[in-house]
Amino acid sequence: MRAIISGEAAVSAILGRTVQLRPLGAEPTGNLRLHDLARALGGCRDVCLVEVKDETEADAMAQQAWAADRALRFFLFLLDSEEEADELKEYAECLEELVEDKSTRLNLERRLLSNAIPTLIEINRINKALETCKNASDLFEFVTSLQPTITKITQAYDEVAEKSFGGAEDKCLCRESLTRDGTFRDLVIAIHEGRDINFLRLAVTAKHRTYAQALSELFSLLQPSNHKLPRPSLQEQEQDKEDDNFEQYDASREGDYEAFNRVRAQQRGIIERLKQHDFITAKRFADQLIAEQRRLSNKEHIAKSLCFLAQQAKQYEATELQLDWAAQANETDPSDPMTSGHLADAYIGAGNFVAAYAAIEQTERRGDALYAATSRARIRRMEGRFAEAYELYLAAACEHDANENVVHAWTGVAETLRDMGKFDDALVQYRALVERWPDDAGLRSGLASVLMEAGRYNDAIKEFNIALQYRGGIVAENGLATSYKLAGNFDRALEIYDSVLQYAPFSTATLCGRAEVFRANDDLTAALDAYKLAVERVSHNPRPFAGLGHVMEDLGWFEDARKVYSEGERRFPGDEFIAVGSARLLRREHKFQEALKAFDELAGRFPFNRWVKWARGDVLRSMGHPEAALQAMSSILEAWPDYSPAQTSKASLLIETGRYDEAIVLLDARDAAANDWSRAVLRAMICKARDQWDEALLRLTHSLSRARLPRERRFLKSAIAALDLQVGRPEAAAHLVEAKAGEITNVIYFHALAAARKHQKAKSLYERMVQSERDSSYMGIVIEIARRFRVIEGTPSHSPAWITHQEDKALLTEVG
Amino acid sequence: MVENCTKCGTQIRPNERACSNCGRDAGFPNVRAANAPEERAALEARFNTARTSSAVRGTTIELDYFVNEVGRHSRAVMNRSLGALNSWVEGPTPLFCSFHCQIEVLGRAPNESNYDQQRVAAEAAINPFCYKEISYAALTLKEAGMAIYGPYAVILKEVSIDDRSSVFEENPFEFNQKHHVVAGQNPPLGYRASWADRGTLAGAKLEHKLERGMQPSAFPAVLMEDRGADPECDYVEVHIFGPVSRVSIERVIGPKPARRIDVALWRRTVRALEKLGVDVEETP
């Protein structure tokens, strides 16, 4: 392992994915970054990077470096003529303590003999301070006796031209190297003792080959009678040794069919463990495999093996292993773009985009410009910058159209069109791609997804089935299930998810997708059980946790949801989904002050999370600040013009404030999509405001005919019911409306029952609503309706128009 | 951003201190960057968002107080190890120049450059034209800094740094990770300010931590969390152009070391500091 040592700072730091700082005599601190380390070592000039076996060795090196640093300081402090005698004595004793250790003394000598003491010193004063410190005294005498020789050598070194070293910086570097490895010391002692320095010259120039010429010049200056020897036999011996090793290595590197089969078998074993989510055993098996391959195979094979394993780890959601194996592959073969490409992919999967960019740049430098370009586009897409991602994908696809892997770039073009809501263009793009690559299951799935988002569920189902014929795998299966869900065929969706779980029991997407089918069907109890199963099976993944909490919120079990999020924060500190869940819970509880504070904090922590920014705006609206909410939605749309929830909310706010034309422009900006129902409700509200009752009804009933999910149907029916109430058709409203506790739909239902004089039903519902915490925010309207239609005693405080206005406003808020 | 010399109109490059034509001082590159119109506008927008939330939550008074307090009383603090502090205070002298390597070994040899690249990449992304000239400190309202970087908190004299300092939202590594900034890309606007506007940046960043009725005594922990020994501790970073001389030190706070050898070093350092007129406080 690699470590950074500084005696000046008295620390060692173990380098890994994060840094562990180990101050001498204090507890280590983990989870630092290199940036933190740079701050911690600010002002230190003895920082060096070393290879160590373990933390103990790093600590020992730090201790030595500290001792060397302090010994040097105290030696130099002794030379300070302004220091008091008492203090000199203290320095002498400290120095004595330090140089009792032979290695400290040796390091100190190396430093002291690399430079002459430039000041005049008061030897008597120093000797007095040292009189009880034998080792320190010997050292002082030793160093002072060598000053003339040291001066001679350092002057000779200064005389050698910088050009001979390769520049001023290299000259300094070389000097530091010669100091640290004791060359200067050995030279000083050899010359002082009058010994021949030829062998020293050979050893030094062999060790520092980069500076051989400059060092030869140095030695020539020190011993001008020296002449060049023929090519050193030492070098020849080293060369022969290398050749021997090469022959041996060559023989040992021969691959054979048996070895290949063994590797394959071991890889299969690792994949089996990954499938079972037994990541610890998978890692152990992989370590064994790679250790064996390192003995027998070349680096290309080892790297390929690691890349293959990384790919498998990705498939089975073992993010840490994917990163680990990809990093190993990249280190093993640092010239292959495939290894850095896998590393980039792993970093992207882990959300570490800064590190991903570095790996992408490596990939580009190594020759795979297409992969680099599509990866950059992918990151932009993940940040929600769809227009930018589109341009990047398109540029990559056009530039590299002849490349056999260009399909990914073209797929990115199609996907970003979908992201931007340009479904027609996305379909055109996908059809062209499918024509060009008819057997590509991924393209079929992509095409199906666009159809699904455009609300063409039957076509989507057909395409997903074609994708499956071309071995579309889990992606196509899950997509098919989602299509059935959105089409309202929940049973079929569940069947598919359950069959996927037979062979992929730990697939997070499948487990959560299954839970969401129950949720979409308003079967929250089953959704809860499904998420509990997901948490149990993929306990290393935060998504099921977040999903479980969300369902509890839907059930109104706020305290239970809070506990789940707390546990989630403990298990997955800093996770975005969990953090957002906690904030959302506050909003659901109508603790708007706290929710606003939480969303403000989250907006700072997760600057690319558009939902958080949207939620903040929504909270501002709930707190009675529509202008501030409008500003918030506009800000979101400035950065992410395609973000549909912000478009819908902004449109809804514009309607609330009477700015109908602007709202229409916004609502018509997107292609027809599966979430048309909210658009239909908002358009109907505008029609109502303009007394265009028939058109309002037409829009709503048309959308209702296409709506599949319970929530969509509920709101569309409630919107129609609200229309009926306003035109004096309460019976029709009461007959049509579907309701759910906590929603405005429940209020409209109550209103319809009361207005249609279904007194008993109305009374019964009223009593339930009064007791329910979930309907508490609407109690003002409910009481007013109850009084107006004499469900309860009391004089109404507001007009019927007020009730209508409140219902419309609430409908706008909930739909928006 | 294109800048021109106020005297002769020649374009000034982002990394230049003075006009290449007439030599007029152009100010410090990091401060100029913070004062760029688009940067100020973006910070203003962020602050307005914070003010909106503050108005809704009923904490406008606290926000105003906080901004004012930070703007007037916050200081730059650097944390150092004992060895580095002693070197700072007693060097550069001929003694120390001779016996210490002038170039950091880390990052010089080719196989080590990866670490050096990572180390400077974060800083280079934020101050691409002058990161090598920047000295880093933390912004504080208390007598403490980021202890994770060293046990000795060195408070700097405001007069020594105010003209040449800017402040930044947080440590650049964290920032770059959050905002996906890499070298060569422009970081998002609105996250830096001049020293004079540090209160505004602090308000934009930290409004959500203020509570109604919060007293000014609580502001130091808002500005810099009370966990300076934790690498996750959030703080506002100060970017000071140029080296920071020992005469810029106003106050040093730190513990008496445990080991005798370090105690001797600490005592010598204290004497050197006191000679410079620095106020030294030894903590338990």
Side-chain angles (χ1 to χ4, degrees), chain A residues 383-398:
Chain A
E383 291 170 347
R385 296 180 184 167
F386 301 131
E388 212 179 314
Y390 170 80
E391 294 299 333
L392 288 171
Y393 273 125
L394 186 61
C398 293

Side-chain angles (χ1 to χ4, degrees), chain A residues 731-751:
Chain A
E731 292 83 10
H735 183 71
L736 175 70
V737 72
E738 287 174 18
K740 185 176 174 182
E743 290 178 353
I744 189 58
T745 57
N746 215 20
V747 175
I748 294 171
Y749 181 39
F750 173 65
H751 186 172

